[in-house]
Amino acid sequence: MFEIKSTPELGAEVLESWAEAFSTPVDQVAQYVGLPLNPSKSLDSKSLELTRTRLLDIHKLLFRVRPWFNSDQATWEWFIGESLVPFGGLTPSEVVKSHHDKGVEALNEWVNSRELGGFQ
């Protein structure tokens, strides 16, 4: 899977590496994970912590579902484009954008259910 630093100095560094890995502009990656469109300009500590936390949470989620797919790109495409019935047809990205940390928690609970043999 793509690499993410465990304690990045700036969230923007991680966004840039994700953008490069998925051939997607940085502002689009930020939008997909529910962050300000230009987090590198949000230098206050609260914004940096939100960025770090959100990216680490999304990375953990993507890492969990990565075995379901044949590539990192397919995993990312699931995150940004797969409609999930239990979430009213929202994509995982839309769940995160709509519900922030609670959305990440809900997606992880859904993954838990699937890993235990639950259905969509």
PDB file of all heavy atoms in Angstrom, residues 1-2 21-24 32 62 65-66 69-84 90-94:
ATOM      1  N   MET A   1       0.851  -1.181   0.000  1.00  0.00           N
ATOM      2  CA  MET A   1       0.000   0.000   0.000  1.00  0.00           C
ATOM      3  C   MET A   1       0.885   1.230   0.000  1.00  0.00           C
ATOM      4  O   MET A   1       2.041   1.168   0.387  1.00  0.00           O
ATOM      5  CB  MET A   1      -0.881  -0.056   1.240  1.00  0.00           C
ATOM      6  CG  MET A   1      -1.850   1.080   1.372  1.00  0.00           C
ATOM      7  SD  MET A   1      -3.414   0.458   1.972  1.00  0.00           S
ATOM      8  CE  MET A   1      -4.449   1.773   1.510  1.00  0.00           C
ATOM      9  N   PHE A   2       0.356   2.363  -0.414  1.00  0.00           N
ATOM     10  CA  PHE A   2       1.145   3.586  -0.434  1.00  0.00           C
ATOM     11  C   PHE A   2       1.636   3.872   0.974  1.00  0.00           C
ATOM     12  O   PHE A   2       1.076   3.408   1.946  1.00  0.00           O
ATOM     13  CB  PHE A   2       0.318   4.753  -0.975  1.00  0.00           C
ATOM     14  CG  PHE A   2      -0.930   5.023  -0.182  1.00  0.00           C
ATOM     15  CD1 PHE A   2      -0.914   5.900   0.888  1.00  0.00           C
ATOM     16  CD2 PHE A   2      -2.110   4.401  -0.505  1.00  0.00           C
ATOM     17  CE1 PHE A   2      -2.058   6.133   1.632  1.00  0.00           C
ATOM     18  CE2 PHE A   2      -3.258   4.633   0.231  1.00  0.00           C
ATOM     19  CZ  PHE A   2      -3.231   5.502   1.291  1.00  0.00           C
ATOM     20  N   ALA A  21       0.462   9.286  -5.593  1.00  0.00           N
ATOM     21  CA  ALA A  21       0.180   7.854  -5.717  1.00  0.00           C
ATOM     22  C   ALA A  21      -1.081   7.590  -6.528  1.00  0.00           C
ATOM     23  O   ALA A  21      -1.157   6.604  -7.261  1.00  0.00           O
ATOM     24  CB  ALA A  21       0.041   7.220  -4.326  1.00  0.00           C
ATOM     25  N   PHE A  22      -2.080   8.468  -6.404  1.00  0.00           N
ATOM     26  CA  PHE A  22      -3.356   8.238  -7.077  1.00  0.00           C
ATOM     27  C   PHE A  22      -3.567   9.128  -8.296  1.00  0.00           C
ATOM     28  O   PHE A  22      -4.672   9.192  -8.838  1.00  0.00           O
ATOM     29  CB  PHE A  22      -4.511   8.422  -6.095  1.00  0.00           C
ATOM     30  CG  PHE A  22      -4.436   7.481  -4.930  1.00  0.00           C
ATOM     31  CD1 PHE A  22      -4.433   7.955  -3.635  1.00  0.00           C
ATOM     32  CD2 PHE A  22      -4.339   6.113  -5.124  1.00  0.00           C
ATOM     33  CE1 PHE A  22      -4.355   7.085  -2.557  1.00  0.00           C
ATOM     34  CE2 PHE A  22      -4.254   5.238  -4.057  1.00  0.00           C
ATOM     35  CZ  PHE A  22      -4.260   5.728  -2.773  1.00  0.00           C
ATOM     36  N   SER A  23      -2.511   9.840  -8.712  1.00  0.00           N
ATOM     37  CA  SER A  23      -2.580  10.738  -9.873  1.00  0.00           C
ATOM     38  C   SER A  23      -3.790  11.660  -9.776  1.00  0.00           C
ATOM     39  O   SER A  23      -4.577  11.784 -10.717  1.00  0.00           O
ATOM     40  CB  SER A  23      -2.627   9.930 -11.173  1.00  0.00           C
ATOM     41  OG  SER A  23      -1.501   9.099 -11.264  1.00  0.00           O
ATOM     42  N   THR A  24      -3.927  12.274  -8.606  1.00  0.00           N
ATOM     43  CA  THR A  24      -5.052  13.148  -8.315  1.00  0.00           C
ATOM     44  C   THR A  24      -4.513  14.442  -7.718  1.00  0.00           C
ATOM     45  O   THR A  24      -3.586  14.392  -6.913  1.00  0.00           O
ATOM     46  CB  THR A  24      -5.996  12.467  -7.287  1.00  0.00           C
ATOM     47  OG1 THR A  24      -6.383  11.204  -7.810  1.00  0.00           O
ATOM     48  CG2 THR A  24      -7.214  13.286  -7.002  1.00  0.00           C
ATOM     49  N   TYR A  32     -11.788  14.752  -0.880  1.00  0.00           N
ATOM     50  CA  TYR A  32     -12.284  13.388  -0.699  1.00  0.00           C
ATOM     51  C   TYR A  32     -12.209  12.909   0.743  1.00  0.00           C
ATOM     52  O   TYR A  32     -13.005  12.086   1.167  1.00  0.00           O
ATOM     53  CB  TYR A  32     -11.521  12.398  -1.587  1.00  0.00           C
ATOM     54  CG  TYR A  32     -11.888  12.450  -3.046  1.00  0.00           C
ATOM     55  CD1 TYR A  32     -10.899  12.464  -4.010  1.00  0.00           C
ATOM     56  CD2 TYR A  32     -13.219  12.460  -3.464  1.00  0.00           C
ATOM     57  CE1 TYR A  32     -11.219  12.490  -5.362  1.00  0.00           C
ATOM     58  CE2 TYR A  32     -13.539  12.499  -4.799  1.00  0.00           C
ATOM     59  CZ  TYR A  32     -12.539  12.514  -5.752  1.00  0.00           C
ATOM     60  OH  TYR A  32     -12.859  12.543  -7.078  1.00  0.00           O
ATOM     61  N   LEU A  62      -8.347   2.419   4.686  1.00  0.00           N
ATOM     62  CA  LEU A  62      -7.923   1.906   3.381  1.00  0.00           C
ATOM     63  C   LEU A  62      -7.051   0.664   3.532  1.00  0.00           C
ATOM     64  O   LEU A  62      -7.182  -0.280   2.756  1.00  0.00           O
ATOM     65  CB  LEU A  62      -7.180   2.987   2.597  1.00  0.00           C
ATOM     66  CG  LEU A  62      -8.006   4.193   2.163  1.00  0.00           C
ATOM     67  CD1 LEU A  62      -7.109   5.230   1.499  1.00  0.00           C
ATOM     68  CD2 LEU A  62      -9.146   3.790   1.252  1.00  0.00           C
ATOM     69  N   VAL A  65      -9.275  -2.403   4.141  1.00  0.00           N
ATOM     70  CA  VAL A  65     -10.041  -2.932   3.001  1.00  0.00           C
ATOM     71  C   VAL A  65      -9.153  -3.271   1.811  1.00  0.00           C
ATOM     72  O   VAL A  65      -9.627  -3.883   0.859  1.00  0.00           O
ATOM     73  CB  VAL A  65     -11.181  -1.966   2.563  1.00  0.00           C
ATOM     74  CG1 VAL A  65     -12.135  -1.699   3.711  1.00  0.00           C
ATOM     75  CG2 VAL A  65     -10.648  -0.668   1.987  1.00  0.00           C
ATOM     76  N   ARG A  66      -7.879  -2.931   1.864  1.00  0.00           N
ATOM     77  CA  ARG A  66      -6.971  -3.189   0.745  1.00  0.00           C
ATOM     78  C   ARG A  66      -6.987  -4.642   0.276  1.00  0.00           C
ATOM     79  O   ARG A  66      -6.980  -4.900  -0.935  1.00  0.00           O
ATOM     80  CB  ARG A  66      -5.556  -2.739   1.123  1.00  0.00           C
ATOM     81  CG  ARG A  66      -4.472  -3.089   0.096  1.00  0.00           C
ATOM     82  CD  ARG A  66      -4.733  -2.438  -1.248  1.00  0.00           C
ATOM     83  NE  ARG A  66      -3.681  -2.691  -2.199  1.00  0.00           N
ATOM     84  CZ  ARG A  66      -3.611  -3.755  -2.997  1.00  0.00           C
ATOM     85  NH1 ARG A  66      -4.515  -4.708  -2.933  1.00  0.00           N
ATOM     86  NH2 ARG A  66      -2.627  -3.885  -3.855  1.00  0.00           N
ATOM     87  N   PHE A  69      -9.199  -5.746  -2.737  1.00  0.00           N
ATOM     88  CA  PHE A  69      -8.959  -5.221  -4.075  1.00  0.00           C
ATOM     89  C   PHE A  69      -7.618  -5.702  -4.615  1.00  0.00           C
ATOM     90  O   PHE A  69      -6.770  -6.168  -3.872  1.00  0.00           O
ATOM     91  CB  PHE A  69      -9.007  -3.685  -4.043  1.00  0.00           C
ATOM     92  CG  PHE A  69     -10.305  -3.167  -3.489  1.00  0.00           C
ATOM     93  CD1 PHE A  69     -10.410  -2.786  -2.159  1.00  0.00           C
ATOM     94  CD2 PHE A  69     -11.437  -3.102  -4.288  1.00  0.00           C
ATOM     95  CE1 PHE A  69     -11.613  -2.338  -1.637  1.00  0.00           C
ATOM     96  CE2 PHE A  69     -12.653  -2.652  -3.773  1.00  0.00           C
ATOM     97  CZ  PHE A  69     -12.728  -2.269  -2.452  1.00  0.00           C
ATOM     98  N   ASN A  70      -7.426  -5.525  -5.920  1.00  0.00           N
ATOM     99  CA  ASN A  70      -6.192  -5.997  -6.535  1.00  0.00           C
ATOM    100  C   ASN A  70      -5.114  -4.928  -6.645  1.00  0.00           C
ATOM    101  O   ASN A  70      -4.028  -5.200  -7.134  1.00  0.00           O
ATOM    102  CB  ASN A  70      -6.474  -6.616  -7.911  1.00  0.00           C
ATOM    103  CG  ASN A  70      -7.090  -5.625  -8.876  1.00  0.00           C
ATOM    104  OD1 ASN A  70      -7.211  -4.439  -8.579  1.00  0.00           O
ATOM    105  ND2 ASN A  70      -7.493  -6.106 -10.041  1.00  0.00           N
ATOM    106  N   SER A  71      -5.414  -3.702  -6.195  1.00  0.00           N
ATOM    107  CA  SER A  71      -4.402  -2.642  -6.257  1.00  0.00           C
ATOM    108  C   SER A  71      -4.763  -1.517  -5.295  1.00  0.00           C
ATOM    109  O   SER A  71      -5.913  -1.394  -4.849  1.00  0.00           O
ATOM    110  CB  SER A  71      -4.300  -2.070  -7.676  1.00  0.00           C
ATOM    111  OG  SER A  71      -5.468  -1.343  -7.997  1.00  0.00           O
ATOM    112  N   ASP A  72      -3.763  -0.696  -5.017  1.00  0.00           N
ATOM    113  CA  ASP A  72      -4.013   0.494  -4.206  1.00  0.00           C
ATOM    114  C   ASP A  72      -4.984   1.425  -4.921  1.00  0.00           C
ATOM    115  O   ASP A  72      -5.856   2.021  -4.302  1.00  0.00           O
ATOM    116  CB  ASP A  72      -2.708   1.241  -3.939  1.00  0.00           C
ATOM    117  CG  ASP A  72      -1.750   0.450  -3.078  1.00  0.00           C
ATOM    118  OD1 ASP A  72      -2.177  -0.512  -2.417  1.00  0.00           O
ATOM    119  OD2 ASP A  72      -0.557   0.801  -3.073  1.00  0.00           O
ATOM    120  N   GLN A  73      -4.819   1.540  -6.229  1.00  0.00           N
ATOM    121  CA  GLN A  73      -5.699   2.415  -7.007  1.00  0.00           C
ATOM    122  C   GLN A  73      -7.156   1.943  -6.911  1.00  0.00           C
ATOM    123  O   GLN A  73      -8.058   2.752  -6.744  1.00  0.00           O
ATOM    124  CB  GLN A  73      -5.251   2.461  -8.475  1.00  0.00           C
ATOM    125  CG  GLN A  73      -6.004   3.465  -9.312  1.00  0.00           C
ATOM    126  CD  GLN A  73      -5.748   4.906  -8.904  1.00  0.00           C
ATOM    127  OE1 GLN A  73      -4.627   5.276  -8.569  1.00  0.00           O
ATOM    128  NE2 GLN A  73      -6.780   5.727  -8.933  1.00  0.00           N
ATOM    129  N   ALA A  74      -7.373   0.643  -6.985  1.00  0.00           N
ATOM    130  CA  ALA A  74      -8.740   0.106  -6.869  1.00  0.00           C
ATOM    131  C   ALA A  74      -9.308   0.377  -5.476  1.00  0.00           C
ATOM    132  O   ALA A  74     -10.500   0.657  -5.333  1.00  0.00           O
ATOM    133  CB  ALA A  74      -8.753  -1.382  -7.171  1.00  0.00           C
ATOM    134  N   THR A  75      -8.455   0.316  -4.460  1.00  0.00           N
ATOM    135  CA  THR A  75      -8.888   0.619  -3.099  1.00  0.00           C
ATOM    136  C   THR A  75      -9.326   2.072  -3.007  1.00  0.00           C
ATOM    137  O   THR A  75     -10.377   2.383  -2.440  1.00  0.00           O
ATOM    138  CB  THR A  75      -7.743   0.340  -2.095  1.00  0.00           C
ATOM    139  OG1 THR A  75      -7.296  -0.994  -2.270  1.00  0.00           O
ATOM    140  CG2 THR A  75      -8.193   0.549  -0.667  1.00  0.00           C
ATOM    141  N   TRP A  76      -8.529   2.964  -3.568  1.00  0.00           N
ATOM    142  CA  TRP A  76      -8.864   4.389  -3.572  1.00  0.00           C
ATOM    143  C   TRP A  76     -10.155   4.634  -4.359  1.00  0.00           C
ATOM    144  O   TRP A  76     -11.006   5.410  -3.935  1.00  0.00           O
ATOM    145  CB  TRP A  76      -7.704   5.203  -4.150  1.00  0.00           C
ATOM    146  CG  TRP A  76      -7.961   6.672  -4.219  1.00  0.00           C
ATOM    147  CD1 TRP A  76      -8.147   7.423  -5.334  1.00  0.00           C
ATOM    148  CD2 TRP A  76      -8.058   7.580  -3.110  1.00  0.00           C
ATOM    149  NE1 TRP A  76      -8.350   8.727  -5.005  1.00  0.00           N
ATOM    150  CE2 TRP A  76      -8.297   8.854  -3.642  1.00  0.00           C
ATOM    151  CE3 TRP A  76      -7.959   7.419  -1.730  1.00  0.00           C
ATOM    152  CZ2 TRP A  76      -8.444   9.981  -2.838  1.00  0.00           C
ATOM    153  CZ3 TRP A  76      -8.109   8.547  -0.920  1.00  0.00           C
ATOM    154  CH2 TRP A  76      -8.341   9.805  -1.476  1.00  0.00           C
ATOM    155  N   GLU A  77     -10.301   3.966  -5.496  1.00  0.00           N
ATOM    156  CA  GLU A  77     -11.511   4.126  -6.299  1.00  0.00           C
ATOM    157  C   GLU A  77     -12.741   3.666  -5.528  1.00  0.00           C
ATOM    158  O   GLU A  77     -13.818   4.259  -5.645  1.00  0.00           O
ATOM    159  CB  GLU A  77     -11.370   3.396  -7.633  1.00  0.00           C
ATOM    160  CG  GLU A  77     -10.383   4.102  -8.549  1.00  0.00           C
ATOM    161  CD  GLU A  77     -10.009   3.310  -9.779  1.00  0.00           C
ATOM    162  OE1 GLU A  77     -10.613   2.252 -10.054  1.00  0.00           O
ATOM    163  OE2 GLU A  77      -9.077   3.754 -10.479  1.00  0.00           O
ATOM    164  N   TRP A  78     -12.609   2.621  -4.722  1.00  0.00           N
ATOM    165  CA  TRP A  78     -13.703   2.195  -3.842  1.00  0.00           C
ATOM    166  C   TRP A  78     -14.040   3.328  -2.883  1.00  0.00           C
ATOM    167  O   TRP A  78     -15.210   3.672  -2.719  1.00  0.00           O
ATOM    168  CB  TRP A  78     -13.300   0.942  -3.056  1.00  0.00           C
ATOM    169  CG  TRP A  78     -14.225   0.628  -1.926  1.00  0.00           C
ATOM    170  CD1 TRP A  78     -15.410  -0.052  -2.003  1.00  0.00           C
ATOM    171  CD2 TRP A  78     -14.070   0.990  -0.541  1.00  0.00           C
ATOM    172  NE1 TRP A  78     -15.995  -0.137  -0.748  1.00  0.00           N
ATOM    173  CE2 TRP A  78     -15.187   0.507   0.158  1.00  0.00           C
ATOM    174  CE3 TRP A  78     -13.096   1.683   0.167  1.00  0.00           C
ATOM    175  CZ2 TRP A  78     -15.358   0.683   1.531  1.00  0.00           C
ATOM    176  CZ3 TRP A  78     -13.256   1.859   1.531  1.00  0.00           C
ATOM    177  CH2 TRP A  78     -14.381   1.362   2.198  1.00  0.00           C
ATOM    178  N   PHE A  79     -13.043   3.915  -2.271  1.00  0.00           N
ATOM    179  CA  PHE A  79     -13.257   4.968  -1.282  1.00  0.00           C
ATOM    180  C   PHE A  79     -13.978   6.167  -1.883  1.00  0.00           C
ATOM    181  O   PHE A  79     -14.869   6.734  -1.255  1.00  0.00           O
ATOM    182  CB  PHE A  79     -11.915   5.403  -0.666  1.00  0.00           C
ATOM    183  CG  PHE A  79     -12.057   6.475   0.365  1.00  0.00           C
ATOM    184  CD1 PHE A  79     -12.543   6.180   1.633  1.00  0.00           C
ATOM    185  CD2 PHE A  79     -11.697   7.785   0.082  1.00  0.00           C
ATOM    186  CE1 PHE A  79     -12.683   7.173   2.590  1.00  0.00           C
ATOM    187  CE2 PHE A  79     -11.838   8.778   1.030  1.00  0.00           C
ATOM    188  CZ  PHE A  79     -12.323   8.474   2.292  1.00  0.00           C
ATOM    189  N   ILE A  80     -13.625   6.541  -3.095  1.00  0.00           N
ATOM    190  CA  ILE A  80     -14.217   7.748  -3.674  1.00  0.00           C
ATOM    191  C   ILE A  80     -15.439   7.480  -4.550  1.00  0.00           C
ATOM    192  O   ILE A  80     -16.184   8.407  -4.847  1.00  0.00           O
ATOM    193  CB  ILE A  80     -13.185   8.567  -4.478  1.00  0.00           C
ATOM    194  CG1 ILE A  80     -12.694   7.811  -5.707  1.00  0.00           C
ATOM    195  CG2 ILE A  80     -12.045   9.003  -3.570  1.00  0.00           C
ATOM    196  CD1 ILE A  80     -11.810   8.638  -6.630  1.00  0.00           C
ATOM    197  N   GLY A  81     -15.665   6.204  -4.941  1.00  0.00           N
ATOM    198  CA  GLY A  81     -16.713   5.987  -5.924  1.00  0.00           C
ATOM    199  C   GLY A  81     -17.718   4.885  -5.680  1.00  0.00           C
ATOM    200  O   GLY A  81     -18.697   4.785  -6.415  1.00  0.00           O
ATOM    201  N   GLU A  82     -17.522   4.048  -4.665  1.00  0.00           N
ATOM    202  CA  GLU A  82     -18.422   2.910  -4.453  1.00  0.00           C
ATOM    203  C   GLU A  82     -19.598   3.311  -3.565  1.00  0.00           C
ATOM    204  O   GLU A  82     -19.418   3.699  -2.414  1.00  0.00           O
ATOM    205  CB  GLU A  82     -17.659   1.761  -3.801  1.00  0.00           C
ATOM    206  CG  GLU A  82     -18.486   0.521  -3.570  1.00  0.00           C
ATOM    207  CD  GLU A  82     -18.813  -0.226  -4.852  1.00  0.00           C
ATOM    208  OE1 GLU A  82     -18.044  -0.123  -5.830  1.00  0.00           O
ATOM    209  OE2 GLU A  82     -19.840  -0.925  -4.869  1.00  0.00           O
ATOM    210  N   SER A  83     -20.797   3.202  -4.100  1.00  0.00           N
ATOM    211  CA  SER A  83     -22.008   3.484  -3.313  1.00  0.00           C
ATOM    212  C   SER A  83     -22.236   2.342  -2.329  1.00  0.00           C
ATOM    213  O   SER A  83     -22.237   1.180  -2.719  1.00  0.00           O
ATOM    214  CB  SER A  83     -23.222   3.606  -4.227  1.00  0.00           C
ATOM    215  OG  SER A  83     -23.074   4.711  -5.080  1.00  0.00           O
ATOM    216  N   LEU A  84     -22.419   2.704  -1.066  1.00  0.00           N
ATOM    217  CA  LEU A  84     -22.636   1.700  -0.026  1.00  0.00           C
ATOM    218  C   LEU A  84     -24.090   1.751   0.425  1.00  0.00           C
ATOM    219  O   LEU A  84     -24.549   2.757   0.976  1.00  0.00           O
ATOM    220  CB  LEU A  84     -21.707   1.953   1.168  1.00  0.00           C
ATOM    221  CG  LEU A  84     -20.207   1.953   0.864  1.00  0.00           C
ATOM    222  CD1 LEU A  84     -19.411   2.301   2.116  1.00  0.00           C
ATOM    223  CD2 LEU A  84     -19.767   0.612   0.298  1.00  0.00           C
ATOM    224  N   LEU A  90     -24.297   6.489  -0.178  1.00  0.00           N
ATOM    225  CA  LEU A  90     -23.133   7.366  -0.133  1.00  0.00           C
ATOM    226  C   LEU A  90     -21.862   6.546  -0.355  1.00  0.00           C
ATOM    227  O   LEU A  90     -21.808   5.373  -0.002  1.00  0.00           O
ATOM    228  CB  LEU A  90     -23.031   8.068   1.224  1.00  0.00           C
ATOM    229  CG  LEU A  90     -24.136   9.046   1.601  1.00  0.00           C
ATOM    230  CD1 LEU A  90     -23.908   9.570   3.016  1.00  0.00           C
ATOM    231  CD2 LEU A  90     -24.217  10.197   0.610  1.00  0.00           C
ATOM    232  N   THR A  91     -20.854   7.180  -0.908  1.00  0.00           N
ATOM    233  CA  THR A  91     -19.540   6.550  -1.017  1.00  0.00           C
ATOM    234  C   THR A  91     -18.847   6.677   0.342  1.00  0.00           C
ATOM    235  O   THR A  91     -19.229   7.518   1.159  1.00  0.00           O
ATOM    236  CB  THR A  91     -18.683   7.247  -2.087  1.00  0.00           C
ATOM    237  OG1 THR A  91     -18.381   8.571  -1.647  1.00  0.00           O
ATOM    238  CG2 THR A  91     -19.373   7.264  -3.448  1.00  0.00           C
ATOM    239  N   PRO A  92     -17.812   5.877   0.591  1.00  0.00           N
ATOM    240  CA  PRO A  92     -17.072   6.052   1.842  1.00  0.00           C
ATOM    241  C   PRO A  92     -16.575   7.492   2.027  1.00  0.00           C
ATOM    242  O   PRO A  92     -16.655   8.049   3.122  1.00  0.00           O
ATOM    243  CB  PRO A  92     -15.912   5.066   1.708  1.00  0.00           C
ATOM    244  CG  PRO A  92     -16.479   3.974   0.845  1.00  0.00           C
ATOM    245  CD  PRO A  92     -17.338   4.706  -0.154  1.00  0.00           C
ATOM    246  N   SER A  93     -16.100   8.102   0.960  1.00  0.00           N
ATOM    247  CA  SER A  93     -15.647   9.489   1.024  1.00  0.00           C
ATOM    248  C   SER A  93     -16.776  10.419   1.461  1.00  0.00           C
ATOM    249  O   SER A  93     -16.585  11.304   2.303  1.00  0.00           O
ATOM    250  CB  SER A  93     -15.107   9.926  -0.342  1.00  0.00           C
ATOM    251  OG  SER A  93     -14.842  11.310  -0.369  1.00  0.00           O
ATOM    252  N   GLU A  94     -17.952  10.227   0.901  1.00  0.00           N
ATOM    253  CA  GLU A  94     -19.099  11.071   1.260  1.00  0.00           C
ATOM    254  C   GLU A  94     -19.520  10.847   2.707  1.00  0.00           C
ATOM    255  O   GLU A  94     -19.936  11.787   3.382  1.00  0.00           O
ATOM    256  CB  GLU A  94     -20.261  10.806   0.306  1.00  0.00           C
ATOM    257  CG  GLU A  94     -19.997  11.300  -1.102  1.00  0.00           C
ATOM    258  CD  GLU A  94     -21.012  10.786  -2.119  1.00  0.00           C
ATOM    259  OE1 GLU A  94     -21.627   9.722  -1.910  1.00  0.00           O
ATOM    260  OE2 GLU A  94     -21.172  11.470  -3.148  1.00  0.00           O
TER     261      GLU A  94
END
